[in-house]
Amino acid sequence: MVDVLEEKNYTRLCATKSMLVVNGMFPGPTIRVRKGDTVYVNAINRGPYGVTLHWHGVMQPRNSWSDGPEYITQCAIQPGTNFTYEIDFSTEEGTVWWHAHSDWTRSSVHGAIVVHPSEGTTYPFPEPDGEEVLVLGSWYTGDVNEMVQADLKAGDDLPDSEAYTINGQPGDFCPCSSDSTYRWHVDYGKTYLLRILNADMNAELFMAIAGHNITIVGSDGAYVKPFVTNYIMISPGRTIDALLTANQTPSHYYIVARQYNSGIISYKVFDHTNASAILQYNGNYTAPDKPEFPTTLPSYYAIDATVNFTMQFRSLADEDHAIDVPLNITTRMFITASVNELGEKSYLRMSSSFNNISWVNPPVDVLTAYYRNMSGYYTSDFPDEPPAFFDFTGMLSANTSASDFGTRVKVLNYGEEVEIVFQGTNVINASINHPMHLHGYTFYVVGQGQGNFDGEKDPKTYNLVDPPQLNTISSPKNGWVTLRFKADNPGVWLLHCHLDRHLSWGMNTVLIVKNGPTAETSLREPPANMPSCAIESNIKEAVDDKSLTG
């Protein structure tokens, strides 16, 4: 496959801008494979700046080299150059996705990956009559990377989107948008497999379809026990697979997505738009003056709706879809997730942290430094717990707001069974949900709850029978979530909040999983054509020198 990255003009919200896209498409092309396939994608960069691509939810066994996050497993593919990614599918089945993993370029560079069952197997539910991909995204009327860099330099908050989108379109409730609203055409009586992904930059989203229930059957490339719902809440980075039967009176029905704001209710500065598409029945009937609106769509601050939906996920855990929850934990990590401030009152800047450490990108990617045993680019001392324990969810004093900075990683031995508890904090009164994503792995979400994690009581509530197997999970506002996995994929893997605002401020770290005892349990050798960090450094130095002199 060939992915050509180049700029193209798009008009939304009454304004036209140029932005980087893949193969002239926004959202980008859907990749369709079968479970266990290997796919090669030649990324040709004809854009004006460096870029990388990440295959979100694809575990890439022993192949960190093609995972994609800039500064972690590679340096950027520079303009006028190319790099071929090897995408190795293993246990994934369902919907995962791909996106840029450099700056905020993923706002326009992203798309779905549909992983069909392997040859000779089928779905754990009746074969659907058709399928549909819905990509939820965000729209910025300006150049988002320029806006982000200006805000970071000034110490300002990072930009909010001007609209949310469904398959690239804001829909009927946004200016200059009703003529291009996306329409999904269905036949009465047929059942469709709906594949939904949240490619938005910074918002968890509610979505509902007027007049229709859906049956959730999968998430993050794995099947779940089916359950019926009339809305979803989906975090950035998550995918959800659902069955919809077109069994209502033939007409037009709105599909609407809006933000779930887990911040304080008094905080009103966020994107309030309702993105919309239309589910339209085929056939002869009198079309309504306007489609029906989904009355089941929760409000912006509906935390109960979020909890009720999230807690229904369970792994299928049957004979054909066995699970293996780690029970003999050898490494326990307790990680606080905080939004922080630094500087003096007259000039405060935002940061974010894990265990009070804000990540600093190195000049050479961590994977190269690790593989070549290069010293000075990172330290192996990311802590297993925060520097101090206190009432993380209470009203906190100002002396808890500052974070340290560093490129500090956690090293795991091959085969370790790991438990991570993420604890949300209310530092600077800014507790919100944090969608946590681990590259190279899926994990079992064995427990979650509100308040401060209690190491004696809360583990007694863990679900070790059929916990959902995910690659992204929200650590709840003023609460905790526990995940488990076995460290059996050697390499360098990013762990981060999937709100790009927080990623830009440093809410990430890296897990290095050491080689196992055999070649088959060891990191592969790097491909010959890895993008050069030296080229990127020289370009950056030239740009910096120019900005200083003129």
Side-chain angles (χ1 to χ4, degrees), residues 464-523:
L464 303 178
V465 177
D466 60 353
Q469 188 174 11
L470 306 173
N471 62 61
T472 306
I473 184 65
S474 270
S475 176
K477 168 188 173 71
N478 283 331
W480 57 271
V481 65
T482 302
L483 55 91
R484 288 183 176 184
F485 65 95
K486 185 174 183 178
D488 56 2
N489 190 10
V492 171
W493 307 108
L494 180 62
L495 174 63
H496 67 100
C497 177
H498 219 280
L499 302 180
D500 276 50
R501 171 181 275 105
H502 295 167
L503 179 60
S504 296
W505 288 337
M507 192 178 285
N508 58 289
T509 188
V510 165
L511 305 184
I512 295 180
V513 179
K514 297 166 70 174
N515 287 338
T518 67
E520 291 73 23
T521 58
S522 298
L523 176 66

Side-chain angles (χ1 to χ4, degrees), residues 330 412-417 486-489 513-514:
T330 56
L412 297 168
N413 291 319
Y414 182 89
E416 287 201 60
E417 296 192 355
K486 185 174 183 178
D488 56 2
N489 190 10
V513 179
K514 297 166 70 174

Side-chain angles (χ1 to χ4, degrees), residues 327-339:
L327 299 177
N328 301 307
I329 302 302
T330 56
T331 293
R332 297 182 188 274
M333 302 179 71
F334 183 86
I335 300 178
T336 55
S338 304
V339 176

Side-chain angles (χ1 to χ4, degrees), residues 294-337:
T295 58
T296 59
L297 183 68
S299 65
Y300 299 110
Y301 299 99
I303 186 171
D304 288 345
T306 295
V307 173
N308 291 340
F309 177 74
T310 302
M311 296 302 289
Q312 295 185 73
F313 283 83
R314 297 284 187 274
S315 285
L316 197 54
D318 61 16
E319 183 177 352
D320 295 325
H321 305 89
I323 63 173
D324 187 15
V325 182
L327 299 177
N328 301 307
I329 302 302
T330 56
T331 293
R332 297 182 188 274
M333 302 179 71
F334 183 86
I335 300 178
T336 55

